[in-house]
Amino acid sequence: MLADAWPGLNRIRAVQRALAGRVNPVYLEIGVSRGQAFQRISADVKIAVDPAFKLSERTRELADAKARETHYFETTSDAFFDDQTEFLERHPIDVALIDGLHTYGQVVRDVEQTLRYLRDDGVIFLHDCNPPFALAARPAASWDEFIAQQSGPLAIGVWNGDVWKAIVHLRSTRHDLLVGVLKCDQGVGFVRKGSPETSLSYSAEQVEALTYADLKADRQRLLNLKPARYLNEFLAAGAISPPI
């Protein structure tokens, strides 16, 4: 069982499990910041994208030691995908972790852009997809804006934003993808090419209008929420041919 093999499953363990057994895998991480995940992931080629790296020299050493090649792009994800087309065509992505700007629109763009370069059996993970309470899910354009919104002393040190809406959007608009959320580590979203088990039918305007109260009332259905042990089934299934 997954719970026995990986107690305390989180995004880092999920990524490493997805990379295991692949031949010379390429790993992309969007939203690296201090490198908490990037330094721990082992892959043949690792690609880091962040508009403002906060990596210590030691963190870079640890990250570099777990790859044959590491590439650092200090830029926004939008600019990265615009400017690095040839690089990405030479490095098709096996596994990606999207943990950048915690806004619905940006996460959707990051997923859609990553899919252009994802191998047919590739996997995308998303962090912060299952906010535990309303304050953590408060929309903001950045961490600084989120902090500035607080009317009193900050009671929590976590901001998930409205990343969860990206799950609803993808499940409503992309019927060629299997999308859901693992119930661990504040919600680890998963995306791969293939037929969905279930889908939603929200328009973009309806997704935008959803509130945390809507999520709280219908979390299981909106997120296709799965127990952590589902990761085994998800990865074992392999790529499924998208419907024609």
Side-chain angles (χ1 to χ4, degrees), residues 59-72:
T59 297
R60 283 188 183 252
E61 289 175 355
L62 291 171
D64 294 348
K66 294 190 174 182
R68 181 177 58 84
E69 297 178 22
T70 51
H71 301 270
Y72 297 89

Side-chain angles (χ1 to χ4, degrees), residues 28 113 141-142 165 168 186 201 207 209:
L28 168 67
Q113 296 270 44
S142 67
K165 290 187 179 182
V168 179
Q186 301 185 56
S201 57
V207 175

Side-chain angles (χ1 to χ4, degrees), residues 123-217:
V123 175
I124 301 172
F125 292 107
L126 316 174
H127 194 215
D128 296 291
C129 295
N130 189 21
F133 41 82
L135 179 57
R138 182 174 292 178
S142 67
W143 169 258
D144 289 341
E145 181 178 301
F146 172 69
I147 296 297
Q149 289 175 352
Q150 311 311 312
S151 58
L154 185 65
I156 61 169
V158 61
W159 173 51
N160 308 119
D162 56 0
V163 174
W164 64 273
K165 290 187 179 182
I167 299 295
V168 179
H169 176 99
L170 291 167
R171 296 189 62 223
S172 297
T173 61
R174 293 295 302 261
H175 303 299
D176 58 341
L177 301 175
L178 174 59
V179 180
V181 176
L182 299 173
K183 195 175 181 180
C184 61
D185 194 14
Q186 301 185 56
V188 177
F190 54 84
V191 179
R192 81 176 321 154
K193 298 174 184 178
S195 300
E197 299 172 324
T198 60
S199 59
L200 301 172
S201 57
Y202 291 87
S203 68
E205 292 77 15
Q206 288 172 323
V207 175
E208 187 67 46
L210 290 171
T211 67
Y212 182 78
D214 296 314
L215 174 66
K216 184 177 180 180

Side-chain angles (χ1 to χ4, degrees), residues 26-181:
V26 174
Y27 169 62
L28 168 67
E29 184 171 320
I30 295 174
V32 173
S33 188
R34 291 179 171 83
Q36 181 182 6
F38 197 71
Q39 68 177 322
R40 291 174 169 82
I41 300 298
S42 297
D44 186 57
V45 177
K46 301 199 309 186
I47 305 165
V49 179
D50 197 289
F53 286 121
K54 299 176 182 177
L55 301 169
S56 68
E57 183 177 344
R58 178 57 177 162
T59 297
R60 283 188 183 252
E61 289 175 355
L62 291 171
D64 294 348
K66 294 190 174 182
R68 181 177 58 84
E69 297 178 22
T70 51
H71 301 270
Y72 297 89
F73 296 90
E74 192 167 47
T75 185
T76 66
S77 56
D78 289 336
F80 169 71
F81 286 111
D82 285 344
D83 299 340
Q84 300 300 327
T85 300
E86 292 184 8
F87 173 83
L88 286 162
E89 288 174 349
R90 296 196 308 271
H91 298 88
I93 299 160
D94 289 272
V95 180
L97 172 62
I98 296 175
D99 192 13
L101 189 59
H102 296 170
T103 65
Y104 153 49
Q106 185 63 59
V107 173
V108 169
R109 288 200 302 276
D110 287 343
V111 171
E112 296 281 6
Q113 296 270 44
T114 301
L115 283 166
R116 291 169 52 195
Y117 303 100
L118 190 71
R119 292 187 184 276
D120 286 343
D121 64 346
V123 175
I124 301 172
F125 292 107
L126 316 174
H127 194 215
D128 296 291
C129 295
N130 189 21
F133 41 82
L135 179 57
R138 182 174 292 178
S142 67
W143 169 258
D144 289 341
E145 181 178 301
F146 172 69
I147 296 297
Q149 289 175 352
Q150 311 311 312
S151 58
L154 185 65
I156 61 169
V158 61
W159 173 51
N160 308 119
D162 56 0
V163 174
W164 64 273
K165 290 187 179 182
I167 299 295
V168 179
H169 176 99
L170 291 167
R171 296 189 62 223
S172 297
T173 61
R174 293 295 302 261
H175 303 299
D176 58 341
L177 301 175
L178 174 59
V179 180
V181 176

